[in-house]
Amino acid sequence: MTIEASRALAPGAALDGTPPPPPRWAVWVAHAVPLIALPSTLWRLAMAIGVPVGYSTEVLRHDYGIPGNGYLVLPAICVLQEGAALLTLGLVRDWGIVAPRWLPLIGGKQVRTWAAVTAALLGAAILTAVTISQAAVWDSVDSENLKGMHRAVMGWLYMPLLLWGPLLAVVTVNYASRRRRRA
């Protein structure tokens, strides 16, 4: 490759057309997202397995379906939440460039940058809007059903979710920038 051709490459671009690797900070942030989602997941799982979280038997039955379908719904929400959080890792891993072969229809194909970026930024915007709106009404949510230390613990376990949307947005912008810089 000539010097002129190498200068035409964007800084950090690979010669084979693949995007440059993510910076260390982006990898750390992407790994933090599933950890941020974990405390609220553990709270829901605790409820589902019968750990006393401060709700009365009546509230658990009426609002959360425990006993009953809540034994399936709450763990399903937990799996979906952690699964969505783990998708952030795709923005800093190879499977954010080429879809894993085991995926139906898209397996082994290159991930379209616009599709990944659009989905991730839309998700970040929705997560940010939902968590901020819920934080704004926190004083009135479940204030009669959950009191004292139980309410404080729940609040501390759900508070990290406020970071999910903004951190996803930061990693997404870095992903888009790296994908744009490929040779």
Side-chain angles (χ1 to χ4, degrees):
M1 172 176 274
T2 66
I3 294 174
E4 291 77 25
S6 66
R7 285 185 189 148
L9 288 175
L15 297 176
D16 63 357
T18 60
R24 187 179 312 218
W25 66 263
V27 174
W28 279 94
V29 171
H31 280 85
V33 170
L35 295 175
I36 283 168
L38 190 59
S40 60
T41 297
L42 294 175
W43 171 268
R44 265 189 242 94
L45 284 176
M47 256 191 341
I49 64 170
V51 173
V53 295
Y55 287 118
S56 69
T57 305
E58 182 181 320
V59 169
L60 286 173
R61 184 177 299 115
H62 183 266
D63 293 353
Y64 297 100
I66 297 175
N69 67 350
Y71 290 132
L72 297 175
V73 172
L74 291 174
I77 291 170
C78 294
V79 168
L80 289 173
Q81 178 175 313
E82 283 301 318
L86 286 166
L87 285 175
T88 307
L89 296 175
L91 300 172
V92 296
R93 296 283 177 241
D94 289 342
W95 49 276
I97 299 168
V98 176
R101 292 204 177 279
W102 56 266
L103 286 174
L105 302 176
I106 64 167
K109 295 181 182 173
Q110 186 170 7
V111 174
R112 295 183 186 264
T113 304
W114 68 266
V117 170
T118 301
L121 287 178
L122 183 61
I126 291 169
L127 285 165
T128 301
V130 168
T131 55
I132 288 175
S133 69
Q134 290 302 297
V137 297
W138 171 250
D139 288 339
S140 62
V141 174
D142 257 351
S143 59
E144 297 194 17
N145 295 327
L146 199 60
K147 297 187 184 307
M149 180 57 100
H150 291 108
R151 185 166 173 76
V153 169
M154 181 186 180
W156 283 105
L157 293 175
Y158 274 77
M159 192 181 309
L161 291 177
L162 289 166
L163 298 173
W164 186 354
L167 293 181
L168 175 57
V170 167
V171 174
T172 303
V173 169
N174 175 263
Y175 171 84
S177 172
R178 286 184 300 107
R179 292 292 302 263
R180 198 171 343 138
R181 283 192 276 162
R182 70 177 188 204

